[in-house]
Amino acid sequence: MLYIPVFGHAVVVADPQLVRQIFTSSPEDLGNISPNLGRFFGSGSVFALEGDDHRRRRRLLAPPFHGKSMKRYETIIEEETLREVASWPEGQPFATLPSMMRITLNAILRAVFGAEGTELDELRRLIPPWVTLGSRVAPLPVPARTYGRYTPWGRLAEWRRRYDVVIDKLIEDELADPNFKDRIDVLALLAAGHETTASTLGWAFERLSRHPDVLTALVEEAETEGNELRQAAILEVQRARTVIDFAGRHVYAPVFQLGEWVIPRGYSIVVSIAQMHANGDIFPDPDRFDPQRFIYAKPSNFAWIPFGGGTRRCVGAAFANMEMDVVLRTVLRHFTIETTTAPGEKWHARGVAFTPKDGGRVVVHRR
Ligand code: HEM
């Protein structure tokens, strides 16, 4: 048990049996951890909602993430990747992370939001600094008084205002679409979706450039329509380099019986994702980067948990998976990535997501 300032009393869990219990419990017993990202995206955003409101909002958000929508997005992602990598330098080290941030942001804006033209440009300028600052100050208490323009809170408020202006314009343009208003929660999707996916892709380049055998096999596979190994590699990157290291819940039940423990109402339960992924009983030799472990064995939903689980599981998981698959395939088809014996990059806490400290640096050559 821990006492974490702002979150209060918390228990940390990294056992699949207990995680199963947490992820399958009713949202009336275990709700959203508090405070949460709803403080930035509004009390009406999916991050802040609970119970029926939360269920309804997730249903509204679901359509763009259905499996059948995914195929349509692949072309957009491939286009965005090609546009970005056109300016990659050859023969000298550079960080892939900034490119991945741009690809993933543009991909969501276009695929999920349908933004194009001037609005797309303005959102591209606005969202990256907003998300960076927003996630940095997320755990801090909000000052009670009105915040000045130059404080982080003042800047967040100003960005929020400019974002609303763009969204109002988009709504005006899209009045023909009767369902448009329901898609407003897209800010939550943008923020949650782009940095996490980009960070995982940055790690993918970091890991693959240090594992020549895996890289060679992936290049061969990328020439075909197959993706079994690429999928296994993505799962392994998400296991070995977890970018969101916990999923939190709040105990609403008078007491919550978790395995042999009794957790009182008001406590937080923190599922330690990274600790679970490093558990050698579940993932033998956990420090080894080895996609083979996922080739014949699909991972358990209660042990491989980069997207959290249960009623609050990441709504963008399928989108993120498709996106990472297409970005990697496109890069592997167009570039040779040099391998290196340099030590792995360290972890860097960028805000919500953990990124490779040097931004996933690689040296590439065009094919
Ligand atoms: C590799 C990329 C991603 C990772 C690692 C990731 C991880 C997570 C995690 C750990 C949670 C909390 C789950 C829980 O509490 O059980 C979450 C929630 C969420 N994610 Fe993702 N995510 C990714 C990509 C995306 C994308 C692409 C989108 C949208 C386009 C997205 C939208 C959301 C939303 C809206 C929630 C809140 C769900 C709710 O509270 O009901 N995420 N994500």
Side-chain angles (χ1 to χ4, degrees):
M1 210 274 290
L2 295 172
Y3 182 82
I4 311 176
V6 183
F7 292 108
H9 293 288
V11 293
V12 179
V13 178
D15 172 283
Q17 289 312 322
L18 301 182
V19 167
R20 173 190 294 269
Q21 208 194 324
I22 293 163
F23 285 164
T24 55
S25 72
S26 128
E28 278 68 44
D29 290 343
L30 289 188
N32 199 6
I33 195 164
S34 177
N36 55 57
L37 292 171
R39 292 160 68 197
F40 295 102
F41 306 126
S43 52
S45 91
V46 65
F47 292 109
L49 299 177
E50 293 274 21
D52 286 343
D53 292 338
H54 178 247
R55 264 192 293 275
R56 267 195 298 274
R57 175 59 51 84
R58 280 185 63 111
R59 265 203 298 278
L60 279 176
L61 290 177
F65 300 114
H66 279 154
K68 55 184 184 304
S69 307
M70 290 304 146
K71 204 70 205 156
R72 286 189 291 119
Y73 300 147
E74 287 189 14
T75 323
I76 292 182
I77 311 263
E78 190 167 18
E79 259 174 47
E80 288 296 331
T81 309
L82 288 172
R83 191 154 59 99
E84 180 64 35
V85 300
S87 57
W88 274 9
E90 285 183 78
Q92 64 187 77
F94 69 98
T96 52
L97 188 61
S99 283
M100 295 305 122
M101 291 282 179
R102 282 188 290 270
I103 293 171
T104 55
L105 177 59
N106 292 342
I108 300 186
L109 286 170
R110 288 183 64 194
V112 181
F113 207 5
E116 294 289 347
T118 326
E119 289 81 24
L120 181 57
D121 289 343
E122 170 76 353
L123 292 174
R124 273 179 186 148
R125 268 196 304 274
L126 213 54
I127 288 164
W130 183 7
V131 170
T132 305
L133 183 64
S135 52
R136 275 204 191 118
V137 300
L140 305 176
V142 188
R145 290 191 309 118
T146 339
Y147 0 97
R149 246 183 99 182
Y150 298 105
T151 64
W153 299 100
R155 278 157 65 205
L156 289 173
E158 170 58 17
W159 283 327
R160 173 78 214 208
R161 195 193 57 75
R162 284 170 59 192
Y163 171 83
D164 285 344
V165 171
V166 181
I167 300 302
D168 285 349
K169 171 77 172 65
L170 282 170
I171 293 174
E172 221 172 87
D173 293 350
E174 298 268 341
L175 277 180
D177 176 356
N179 296 322
F180 188 80
K181 282 198 170 59
D182 296 337
R183 291 161 44 190
I184 261 178
D185 207 12
V186 74
L187 174 56
L189 300 182
L190 292 177
H194 104 271
E195 192 166 321
T196 44
T197 315
S199 306
T200 308
L201 280 166
W203 280 118
F205 290 110
E206 191 273 350
R207 289 289 79 197
L208 296 180
S209 60
R210 286 166 174 79
H211 292 85
D213 296 349
V214 180
L215 185 57
T216 307
L218 283 172
V219 168
E220 260 169 45
E221 186 192 61
E223 300 303 326
T224 71
E225 287 307 305
N227 71 348
E228 195 182 0
L229 180 60
R230 194 160 62 243
Q231 279 294 313
I234 291 169
L235 297 184
E236 179 65 345
V237 170
Q238 289 197 272
R239 180 197 70 80
R241 293 295 181 273
T242 301
V243 299
I244 303 277
D245 74 346
F246 77 90
R249 299 292 184 267
H250 183 90
V251 178
Y252 282 117
V255 288
F256 185 75
Q257 176 84 39
L258 178 62
E260 60 193 274
W261 289 279
V262 175
I263 323 261
R265 185 205 301 264
Y267 274 49
S268 296
I269 298 181
V270 173
V271 174
S272 176
I273 302 177
Q275 209 176 318
M276 177 79 92
H277 289 171
N279 184 332
D281 295 338
I282 309 166
F283 304 106
D285 197 359
D287 292 337
R288 201 177 75 232
F289 176 77
D290 181 11
Q292 290 299 326
R293 66 174 93 234
F294 293 124
I295 291 274
Y296 298 111
K298 290 301 162 215
S300 144
N301 286 341
F302 305 110
W304 183 88
I305 49 170
F307 295 111
T311 55
R312 301 203 86 99
R313 185 175 191 265
C314 177
V315 294
F319 184 87
N321 178 272
M322 173 277 301
E323 183 170 17
M324 295 189 286
D325 195 73
V326 175
V327 172
L328 287 175
R329 184 188 68 198
T330 310
V331 171
L332 292 169
R333 281 182 180 172
H334 288 83
F335 292 89
T336 314
I337 299 173
E338 277 186 18
T339 55
T340 174
T341 53
E345 289 186 29
K346 299 216 154 41
W347 305 78
H348 171 67
R350 200 189 123 102
V352 170
F354 282 93
T355 61
K357 187 159 184 303
D358 303 318
R361 282 168 86 77
V362 292
V363 177
V364 300
H365 300 275
R366 285 188 171 68
R367 288 185 183 277

